[in-house]
Each structure stands twice: as C-alpha cells, then as structure tokens.
C-alpha cells in the first residue's frame, strides 16, 4: 500500500517561509530570475560576497533531445500493450512535459494529450488556445479544439471511437483532477477507466543519462548555493536575509529555486515552522529544498551550526550521517525499497533514538526527477524492487522535540554497481562543506 504517496505541492515550503516573513519577504519575492534583478535587491538586503560570487551554469545544461522524447512515447505505447490499455490521457503538467516538452498548466479548461497504443498523439485544447498550442507541438500534428460552449469530454470520446477504443480501456494520469476524470467517464460510459501509472511511472521512474546529467547540474547548483549561504552567515541574520540570498544566488546562476530555513528548536520540526527566526552563535540551522534545471530537480538538506556545536549535536549528526551511509549501501538493484529505509532506521534506533518513528519521524526517501517528490518511496511496506536508473532522496533525520533536529539529505541514483550520490556527503555539523 505504500507504493504510492502524495506528491508535495509545488512551493509549499516557500509558502511557509513567506507566511512567516509576511510583507518583509516582498524584496526576496521580487528578485525574479535574472542576475540583474538579484543585484537590484541589494538595496533591500545586502548580499554577502559568497552569494555575489556564484556564476551562471547555462553552459553545463544540455536539454532533452527530441529523439529521446520520441523514445519515451514509444516506450509508453509498449507499456500500454503490456497493461492492456488502449490509450492514456495526460493533462497539462509534468508528465505532458516529460513526453512532449510542452509546458502547459492545468486549469478548469481541458488541455491535454491522448496517446493511443499505436500511432501519433492527439492533442485537445480550447479553440482560442490553438495557436499557442501549435507553437509547442512537436510530435504529431493532430490538434482537436473545442469552443467554450462545447464539451471537451465529448471530443475525447470521439477521438477514442476513431481509434476503435470507445469501449476499450483508457488510462488516466494520476495528476488529472477528479472532476476531469468523471467528465471523461460520463462521456464514455462503455469504456473502462484505469490508472495510467504503470505506463507513466514505468517510463519516468527510470532515468536516462541525459536526465541524470540535468539532475547533476541541479544538485551541484544547490550545494554551491548552500555553501555560499553558510559562508555568509553571522549572528543576527534572519530568515528574510537568507530567503533573499537564496533567490539572488539562484538568479545569478540563471536558475529558479528555493529553500526552507529553520533555526534552533525549529529544526526539530521536519518541515519547519512559520515563526520568525534569527541566527545565533551555536544554534543549528537547517536548509532544505532545491532548484530546477530544464524541469529536473534537486532536493538537498544540510544541517549545521553557526560556530561551535554542542557535544550532543555532534553525536546526533554523526548518527544521522552513518544512517545516510547505510541507506546508500542498501540501495542496489534488486533490493526492496523498504529495506533501504530499514537500513537507515536500524542505525538510528540502535543508537538509542527509537523505536520506529519516535525520533526519525518520516520515511527515508522519495523518488525524484521532474517532480521533487515522485514515485517510488523508500518506506516500510513498499516491497517493490529497486532498478538501475532509479533516483531517490536519501534523508534520514533525528528530531528531538524542544531542542533541535538534524537531517542530512542528498539525492542518489542507482547504477548496476549500486547507488551513488549526486553530491558529496556533509562531513560535519561545524564544517558542512569540508
């Protein structure tokens, strides 16, 4: 039952951060995506030299080629045949981008793609969006449009009948809103609607070398940004300052990203607090989140102190570090996903921070790629086997209520010889970047 999970809503951590900062966060929110905007922000928040020293990464980015997307479409059709699915429907969103490169949001107006088991995709869009849709369509040329007073669901049913699948099986991608699924079902009463997950996740869970390369750029950029933030910290720095540094730093690299920032006792809350927080000597700081590179994401957490850490903080950090290493060693092809969680959890429990979820209160990790949280999940009860090419976060933690928490998170990709991190493990709580 733990083979599925709820994907994190985009910007959730940014929402918490900005809720805490209120109007004071506006300078950070206005930084935008360009280095010029980042420079302009210095009137509101002074940027440390380490942030100003970050450089663009565009020269390292190689977008996904059309040939790879064609191979993805063909792979989807192969998996449809294995699963007995005649066609799949995708809404605007991440999976449509994955297969076609189309960047389109999901709204109350249906815009999506039907991929039949054989042949080219068929796109469905509002008539007034025809020209904008045609600008992005690169695979196939069949675009069906509907007027505002017409039913897009009837149009989908018509396409299915043309494909001789009006009474067949239609796979619905998991992010399609419920109202859309029920509308399609009502227009196709003789058809069977099923989850398209065996097809979509069957493709997306296994990353190609090109995808891994984009994720590497994203991870390298996030780690460089975190190091620059750490180098700029001093007593009295607030979440507002760090939020502005994060936005400006990513902008200087030509990227979009974010970070949640939590200090002191708030690090004992895995996803932080809305309360305003200030850096003080000897307090732990937790940075979490990542950035986007051509749609591919990073997700890194670093916990460190401003100055000297207590002996207890050092002990907890070392336990979490060993748990992270144990998970990496356990994540090899053929291992069950729950066994990776178990390997990390055993280290923490054996060190006295148990049982179960008492102090390590969340799963070990999640799949990552174009969504920060995507299939599959490293959690007890998930007996699915790990395959070469899968990518996960590796993020054990110990959270001591009222005191502090430590989480270390690096993303890993599974090779035939075992799992490898994209970024080097944090060496210590006082010197997190070596």
């Amino acid at each position: 039952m733990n083979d599925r999970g709820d994907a994190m809503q985009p910007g959730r951590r940014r929402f918490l951060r900005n809720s805490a900062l209120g109007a004071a966060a506006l300078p950070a929110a206005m930084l935008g995506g360009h280095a010029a905007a980042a420079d302009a922000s210095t009137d509101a928040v002074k940027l440390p030299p380490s942030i100003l020293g970050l450089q663009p990464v565009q020269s390292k980015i190689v977008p996904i080629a059309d040939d790879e997307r064609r191979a993805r479409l063909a792979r989807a059709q192969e998996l449809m045949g294995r699963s007995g699915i005649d066609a799949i429907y995708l809404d605007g969103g991440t999976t449509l981008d994955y297969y076609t490169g189309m960047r389109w949001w999901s709204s109350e107006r249906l815009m999506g793609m039907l991929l039949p088991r054989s042949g080219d995709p068929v796109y469905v869009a509002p008539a007034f969006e025809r020209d904008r849709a045609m600008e992005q369509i690169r695979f196939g040329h069949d675009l069906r449009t509907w007027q505002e007073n017409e039913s897009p669901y009837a149009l989908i049913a018509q396409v299915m009948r043309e494909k001789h699948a009006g009474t067949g099986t239609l796979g619905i991608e998991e992010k399609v809103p419920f109202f859309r699924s029920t509308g399609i079902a009502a227009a196709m009463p003789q058809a069977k609607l099923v989850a398209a997950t065996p097809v979509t996740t069957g493709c997306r869970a296994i990353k190609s070398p090109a995808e891994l390369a984009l994720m590497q750029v994203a991870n390298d950029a996030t780690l460089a940004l975190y190091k620059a933030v750490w180098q700029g910290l001093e007593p009295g720095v607030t979440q507002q300052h760090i939020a502005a540094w994060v936005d400006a730093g990513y902008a200087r690299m030509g990227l979009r990203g974010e970070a949640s920032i939590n200090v002191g006792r708030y690090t004992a809350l895995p996803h932080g607090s809305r309360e305003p927080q200030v850096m003080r000597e000897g307090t732990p700081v937790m940075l979490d989140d990542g950035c986007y590179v051509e749609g591919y994401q990073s997700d890194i957490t670093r916990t460190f102190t401003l100055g000297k850490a207590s002996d207890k903080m050092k002990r907890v950090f070392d336990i979490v570090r060993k748990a992270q290493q144990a998970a990496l060693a356990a994540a090899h092809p053929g291992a069950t996903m729950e066994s990776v969680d178990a390997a990390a959890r055993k280290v923490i429990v054996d060190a006295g921070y148990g049982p179960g979820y008492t102090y390590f209160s969340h799963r070990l990790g999640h799949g990552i790629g174009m969504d920060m949280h995507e299939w599959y999940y490293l959690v007890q009860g998930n007996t699915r086997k790990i395959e070469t090419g899968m990518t996960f976060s590796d993020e054990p933690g110990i959270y001591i209520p009222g005191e502090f928490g430590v989480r270390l998170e690096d993303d890993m990709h599974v090779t035939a010889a075992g799992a490898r991190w994209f970024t080097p493990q944090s060496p210590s709580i006082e010197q997190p970047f070596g």
Side-chain angles (χ1 to χ4, degrees), residues 69-255:
R69 295 193 194 277
R70 290 189 186 94
R72 293 173 179 179
L73 290 166
R75 171 65 173 164
Q77 290 174 321
E78 176 190 344
L79 292 175
M80 288 159 60
R82 293 185 190 179
S83 301
I85 296 175
D86 296 297
I88 60 172
Y89 172 76
L90 312 176
D91 243 7
T94 309
T95 303
L96 182 66
D97 185 1
Y98 172 83
Y99 285 114
T100 70
M102 295 182 72
R103 306 273 169 94
W104 204 285
W105 67 89
S106 180
S107 74
E108 79 281 6
R109 291 186 174 99
L110 184 147
M111 188 286 167
M113 180 186 78
L114 275 167
L115 180 65
R117 192 186 299 185
S118 62
D120 290 335
V122 178
Y123 303 89
V124 180
F128 74 89
E129 296 276 31
R130 179 181 181 85
D131 289 348
R132 192 165 74 91
M134 289 303 296
E135 286 178 351
Q136 297 194 49
I137 291 174
R138 303 202 300 273
F139 306 99
H141 57 273
D142 192 348
L143 171 62
R144 312 293 181 91
T145 60
W146 55 277
Q147 296 291 353
E148 296 276 65
N149 63 339
E150 296 176 334
S151 168
Y153 310 124
L155 189 52
I156 288 177
Q158 176 185 323
V159 174
M160 288 291 286
R161 289 193 297 270
E162 292 175 11
K163 301 296 180 181
H164 306 290
T167 59
T169 300
L170 175 63
I172 303 293
E173 200 257 342
E174 66 178 82
K175 297 291 182 68
V176 174
F178 180 74
F179 77 88
R180 188 104 73 223
S181 300
T182 55
I184 294 172
M188 300 175 56
Q190 305 304 315
K192 179 181 179 182
L193 270 60
V194 300
T197 305
V199 178
T200 56
T201 306
C203 293
R204 287 182 56 183
I206 307 298
K207 305 302 190 290
S208 70
E211 292 178 286
L212 294 175
L214 291 171
M215 293 178 69
Q216 185 67 64
V217 176
N219 277 273
D220 289 344
T222 295
L223 195 65
L225 175 78
Y226 283 9
K227 182 177 182 179
V229 168
W230 174 70
Q231 290 172 330
L233 287 180
E234 58 186 23
V237 168
T238 67
Q239 286 171 299
Q240 176 193 354
H241 294 117
I242 297 177
W245 298 358
V246 168
D247 286 344
Y250 277 131
R252 296 189 71 81
M253 289 188 278
L255 302 175

Side-chain angles (χ1 to χ4, degrees), residues 43 113 198 349:
D43 292 338
M113 180 186 78
V349 171

Side-chain angles (χ1 to χ4, degrees), residues 230 233 283-287 302-306 428-429 432-433:
W230 174 70
L233 287 180
T283 57
V285 179
M286 186 181 290
L287 287 179
R302 287 292 180 268
T303 304
F304 49 83
T305 53
L306 181 59
S428 77
I429 196 167
F433 304 98

